[in-house]
């Protein structure tokens, strides 16, 4: 069992030394223009309905390019009689294009479709958005479309229930239900059940880690790979001082660094920044991460369990190989790195990548930069390698 140690209070001298060590960490030169053009950061949880409406309006204004990709929507019944919506993206003309209900559960997908098409690996993609936001429009999930084309793979997007209307465990149970459904219907979906992976960014990365734990503990479908991108998997990030507002103004964060130190390290007040000294004015901070968890976890829940926050798991052995992507200037970076290290210690193969000088979600504001393209290429390449292994 690996446990994060309690961070003792620091003296003023230690605080100053820490700031000096962080001074060298600055926004990546290629990202400075994008950083300087960031709007003032607003709390997306202040008016969740308005945030969702704004996000959908933005997506509607610029439809996704679906060239070479088909998609089909399915309703999966829940135990309470409601339905979970899943969208299945496939390369045009790929195996299983006739729909997921045509084949009996358990049929070998590699012989499905009458030999007309080759079964493909599958990727369950869980969207981000702090467990409360971020759902794409039908047929418009850009990440799913890109993975479908570039891997290639059958990609399933899961419209899991969102907080705070549906708090934990609703969302993660939906994601696990989608995994079971995909494995059972592999033949009709054109999926090779021996090559199923999980991926997601931010909250989606946290859900991927939690579903991998669930599958292990419940004896569920085999998962060949878990791809955790800037994962939100620890409810302790930014927790100290968050209740009284200190986390955004110099309070301790997950690994003992203060948000104020990060500001002095190039987020603000340094070259290429606006000089106002306020990290929270532009990007995600430990305090905003805490806001996410406050909406996701049930009211009165003192501490998350492992299926809510995978970093709380005491045993990480027996999990599928993992890819962990973090960004230098992300308050969730240290929690992601700690989880990766614990996976390694448990004997799980792990690939780790850190994007220097980048903040949480930077690629949304600077998609054409080399930094963003290289990050996406590395993430996609690791998924491809896991789903199409080279046999020596």
């Amino acid at each position: 069992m690996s446990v994060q140690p309690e961070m003792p209070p620091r003296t003023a001298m230690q605080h100053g030394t820490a700031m000096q060590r962080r001074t060298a960490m600055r926004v990546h030169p290629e990202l400075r223009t994008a950083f300087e053009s960031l709007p003032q950061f607003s709390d997306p949880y202040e008016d969740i309905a308005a945030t969702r409406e704004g996000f959908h309006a933005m997506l509607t204004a610029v439809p996704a390019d679906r060239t070479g990709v088909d998609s089909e929507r399915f309703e999966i019944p829940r135990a309470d009689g409601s339905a979970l919506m899943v969208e299945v993206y496939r390369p045009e003309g790929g195996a299983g294009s006739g729909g997921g209900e045509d084949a009996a559960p358990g049929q070998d997908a590699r012989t499905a479709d009458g030999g007309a098409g080759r079964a493909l690996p599958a990727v369950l993609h869980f969207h981000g958005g702090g467990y409360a936001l971020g759902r794409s429009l039908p047929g418009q999930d850009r990440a799913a479309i890109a993975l479908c084309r570039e891997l290639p793979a059958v990609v399933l997007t899961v419209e899991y229930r969102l907080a705070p209307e549906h708090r934990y465990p609703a969302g993660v149970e939906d994601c696990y239900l989608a995994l079971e459904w995909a494995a059972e219907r592999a033949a009709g979906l054109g999926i090779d059940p021996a090559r199923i992976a999980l991926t997601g960014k931010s909250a989606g990365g946290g859900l991927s880690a939690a579903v991998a734990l669930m599958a292990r503990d419940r004896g569920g479908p085999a998962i060949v790979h878990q791809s955790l991108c800037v994962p939100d998997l620890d409810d302790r990030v930014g927790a100290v001082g968050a209740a009284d507002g200190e986390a955004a103004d110099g309070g301790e964060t997950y690994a003992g660094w203060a948000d104020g130190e990060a500001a002095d390290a190039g987020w603000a007040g340094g070259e290429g920044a606006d000089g106002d000294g306020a990290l929270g004015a532009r990007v995600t901070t430990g305090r905003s991460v805490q806001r996410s968890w406050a909406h996701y976890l049930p009211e009165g829940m003192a501490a998350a369990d492992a299926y809510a926050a995978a970093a709380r798991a005491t045993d990480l052995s027996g999990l599928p190989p993992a890819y962990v992507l973090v960004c230098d200037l992300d308050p969730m970076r240290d929690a992601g790195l700690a989880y990766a290290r614990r996976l390694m210690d448990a004997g799980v193969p792990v690939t780790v990548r850190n994007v220097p000088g980048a903040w949480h979600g930077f690629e949304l504001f600077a998609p054409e930069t080399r930094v963003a393209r290289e990050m996406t290429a590395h993430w996609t390449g690791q998924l491809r390698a896991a789903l199409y292994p080279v046999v020596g």
Side-chain angles (χ1 to χ4, degrees), residues 5-383:
E6 294 293 330
M7 297 299 297
R10 289 173 299 157
T11 65
M13 181 176 294
Q14 289 172 325
H15 183 90
T17 301
M19 284 194 293
Q20 291 171 11
R21 288 201 302 267
R22 295 285 271 187
T23 299
M25 183 187 293
R26 302 196 181 278
V27 173
H28 192 287
E30 194 181 0
L31 301 178
R32 267 184 206 148
T33 298
F35 179 78
E36 290 168 352
S37 67
L38 287 176
Q40 289 292 303
F41 185 81
S42 59
D43 182 359
Y45 297 96
E46 194 169 64
D47 187 340
I48 290 178
T51 301
R52 290 172 182 168
E53 289 175 6
F55 180 70
H56 286 181
M58 178 182 68
L59 293 178
T60 301
V62 185
D65 176 8
R66 288 170 49 94
T67 304
V69 174
D70 294 322
S71 68
E72 189 172 3
R73 293 170 69 80
F74 298 93
E75 290 187 352
I76 305 174
R78 298 189 184 97
D80 64 2
S82 63
L84 167 65
M85 185 66 70
V86 171
E87 186 145 8
V88 179
Y89 293 80
R90 306 181 187 87
E92 285 184 353
S97 295
E101 304 301 323
D102 297 335
Q107 180 184 347
D108 189 335
R110 284 161 290 193
T111 61
D113 204 35
R118 179 171 58 90
L120 292 171
V123 178
L124 273 79
H125 173 251
F126 308 132
H127 68 79
Y131 301 100
L133 314 164
R135 181 173 295 161
S136 293
L137 300 176
Q140 295 289 301
D141 192 300
R142 287 168 169 77
I145 292 168
L147 290 175
C148 181
R149 274 197 298 247
E150 296 171 23
L151 291 177
V154 176
V155 182
L156 294 84
T157 59
V158 183
E159 296 182 7
Y160 57 86
R161 287 169 288 181
L162 300 176
E165 298 92 335
H166 304 281
R167 294 175 181 264
Y168 170 79
V172 70
E173 290 289 356
D174 282 351
C175 293
Y176 184 75
L177 177 61
L179 170 66
E180 289 189 311
W181 179 84
E184 291 171 357
R185 296 284 173 181
L189 295 170
I191 290 172
D192 178 354
R195 293 184 292 160
I196 297 177
L198 310 173
T199 193
K201 290 183 179 179
S202 197
L207 289 167
S208 297
V211 170
L213 286 165
M214 284 180 161
R216 180 199 65 181
D217 296 346
R218 298 177 180 181
I223 299 168
V224 73
H225 185 71
Q226 53 177 323
S227 178
L228 316 179
C229 300
V230 293
D232 188 0
L233 43 67
D234 196 328
D235 62 305
R236 294 165 292 189
V237 171
V240 179
D244 59 8
E246 291 177 5
D249 301 308
E252 296 290 349
T253 62
Y254 176 84
W257 293 109
D259 285 349
E261 294 168 8
D264 289 328
W267 284 88
E271 183 182 355
D274 60 6
D276 64 7
L279 173 63
R282 292 188 170 186
V283 296
T284 300
T285 66
R287 186 180 185 184
S288 52
V289 174
Q290 278 295 298
R291 291 278 283 160
S292 168
W293 285 102
H295 285 77
Y296 180 53
L297 297 178
E299 294 179 352
M301 189 176 194
D305 63 30
Y307 298 154
R312 293 279 190 176
T314 57
D315 178 13
L316 301 183
S317 62
L319 289 171
Y323 173 72
V324 180
L325 171 73
V326 298
C327 289
D328 240 352
L329 305 178
D330 185 344
M332 293 181 272
R333 182 199 69 176
D334 291 347
L337 292 175
Y339 192 70
R341 176 59 185 267
R342 290 185 56 217
L343 286 169
M344 295 178 200
D345 290 345
V348 177
V350 183
T351 298
V352 179
R353 184 176 179 95
N354 175 60
V355 184
W359 61 93
H360 190 85
F362 81 95
E363 70 279 7
L364 300 176
F365 300 93
E368 298 305 317
T369 60
R370 183 176 61 181
V371 179
R373 292 198 308 269
E374 287 180 349
M375 181 193 76
T376 300
H378 195 264
W379 164 57
T380 304
Q382 290 296 309
L383 261 175

